[in-house]
Amino acid sequence: MNWNDIPSLAALRAFEAAARHGSFSAAARDLNVTHAAIAQHVRALEDHFGQSLMQRDGRGMSVTPEGRALSDSLSEAFGLIATASHDLLDQSQTRAIRVAVTPSLAANWLMPRIGSFWNQHPEIEVELVPAMTLVDLRRDNIDVAIRYGKGGWAGVSSTPLMPAGHVAVAAPSYVEGRKIDCLSDLKGLRWLMDGTRSEERFWICANGIDLDEECVTMFPTGQLSREAARAGLGITVQPAPIAAPYIASGAFVELCAEQDSDIAYHILTRPEVISPTRDIFVKWLRSEATS
C-alpha cells in the first residue's frame, strides 16, 4: 500500500461522519470536534482528489456521486476496523491472565496457594509463565509479572508484594552440634550457590565471608541448590519466602536471616492496560502475601 496517495485518516473519518449525518455540525458533535474542523477536513479531501465531495442542500449538506462512492467505502472500512477492535477487546476480557514468575516462587509460594484463587474465582483462568529471564510485559503479552529485586523498573507499574530478604539454611543433620550465632560462624562449611542471583553474594560478603576462600559448589538454578541442601550437602542462601515452607516443615533450619533488606518481590503491570480480571488477581496476590 502506498500511503503517500492516501489522505490523513482524520480527514477521512471527518468526511465519513459528515456524509453519514448530512451535516457538518452533527459530524462535529459525533467526533467531539468543532464545525470548522470538519469543514476544513472535507475541503482538504476535495483539494486532494480535485473534485467536490459535498455540497449545500438547503440547510444541510448532501454528498456528490463521487463523494457517495468514497463515503460508502469508508463506512465499510471503518466498520471492519470497529468489528476487529471489539473482537480483540472481547478476547482480552475472556482470555487467561498471563503471569510471569520465577520457577522457585511459582513452585514454592504461588502453587500451594493458587487453589484458593480458583475456588474464589472459577471464572478467571490463570496461565503461569515460569522463567528465569526478565520478560517484557508488552512484547511477551504478560498481564502480571512477579519480579525479585529492589524495584525501580521503567515503563511499568510496580507494587511491593512481600519482603524477600535472604536467609541461610541447611538440613538439620548438616549443622547438628554446631553453635551458630551469625553468618560468619559458617566459615569453612560447604556453600551451595546458584548462578542466577548476585544479591545473596553481596549479603554473604557483607558479613565477612569471602566466597573465593570458601568451598563453593555452583548449581544452574536455585531449586537445585535448595535440593542439595535438603540432602544434607551444605548451606544454601534463599529468599525468605522461598525458604519459609521448608523451615516450617523441618526440612531446613534457619541459620541466619538478613535484617532490614530492601530486596522484595514486586508486582509489575502495564499502566496503560485496563483489566478488571487482572486487578482481581493482583488484589488476591497482595492478600495472600499479607496473610
Side-chain angles (χ1 to χ4, degrees):
M1 180 180 293
N2 184 2
W3 286 95
N4 294 325
D5 295 335
I6 299 176
S8 74
L9 291 179
L12 293 172
R13 185 166 174 245
F15 168 68
E16 188 278 333
R20 175 162 38 87
H21 290 289
S23 165
F24 286 177
S25 298
R29 290 192 296 270
D30 188 5
L31 302 183
N32 196 28
V33 297
T34 65
H35 178 284
I38 298 294
Q40 183 177 358
H41 279 312
V42 172
R43 284 196 299 269
L45 286 182
E46 291 178 331
D47 291 341
H48 178 85
F49 292 115
Q51 51 190 313
S52 176
L53 300 176
M54 298 194 73
Q55 58 191 6
R56 283 287 177 185
D57 186 6
R59 300 183 64 181
M61 301 290 295
S62 63
V63 185
T64 65
E66 295 79 11
R68 176 59 62 192
L70 178 62
S71 67
D72 289 346
S73 296
L74 289 174
S75 295
E76 181 179 358
F78 288 140
L80 290 173
I81 293 172
T83 298
S85 298
H86 293 154
D87 288 346
L88 280 177
L89 285 173
D90 290 342
Q91 290 177 20
S92 66
Q93 293 171 359
T94 58
R95 70 171 176 81
I97 302 169
R98 302 193 77 221
V99 181
V101 61
T102 62
S104 290
L105 190 68
N108 297 283
W109 188 85
L110 185 55
M111 290 309 298
R113 294 168 168 79
I114 195 67
S116 69
F117 180 79
W118 291 339
N119 290 335
Q120 295 173 36
H121 303 282
E123 76 285 0
I124 301 177
E125 293 187 36
V126 178
E127 177 188 351
L128 297 184
V129 185
M132 294 302 302
T133 57
L134 296 181
V135 298
D136 185 307
L137 272 65
R138 293 171 179 82
R139 181 195 64 208
D140 300 324
N141 197 26
I142 298 296
D143 298 294
V144 179
I146 304 176
R147 191 169 291 178
Y148 173 81
K150 297 182 179 181
W153 296 283
V156 297
S157 293
S158 177
T159 304
L161 176 61
M162 56 186 169
H166 300 102
V167 57
V169 295
S173 60
Y174 186 75
V175 292
E176 186 176 2
R178 189 179 184 99
K179 179 175 173 56
I180 300 170
D181 294 322
C182 60
L183 202 63
S184 59
D185 291 335
L186 302 176
K187 286 183 179 180
L189 300 181
R190 179 179 292 277
W191 295 85
L192 308 173
M193 309 292 295
D194 71 85
T196 60
R197 298 190 305 271
S198 59
E199 290 88 351
E200 70 269 24
R201 289 179 168 273
F202 294 131
W203 178 56
I204 293 170
C205 292
N207 282 270
I209 297 178
D210 185 351
L211 288 177
D212 291 335
E213 299 178 358
E214 296 292 311
C215 178
V216 178
T217 300
M218 297 297 299
F219 294 89
T221 67
Q223 182 175 1
L224 289 177
S225 63
R226 193 163 53 251
E227 290 305 311
R230 287 183 65 188
L233 302 181
I235 297 164
T236 186
V237 175
Q238 300 285 320
I242 301 298
Y246 295 93
I247 296 172
S249 70
F252 284 155
V253 291
E254 180 182 308
L255 307 175
C256 185
E258 184 177 17
Q259 303 297 321
D260 301 322
S261 173
D262 57 356
I263 296 175
Y265 285 103
H266 300 260
I267 300 172
L268 274 57
T269 57
R270 295 167 56 187
E272 75 278 10
V273 174
I274 299 175
S275 173
T277 54
R278 176 203 63 192
D279 294 343
I280 290 172
F281 182 73
V282 168
K283 182 179 180 180
W284 173 82
L285 282 175
R286 298 181 67 183
S287 174
E288 287 295 314
T290 57
S291 65

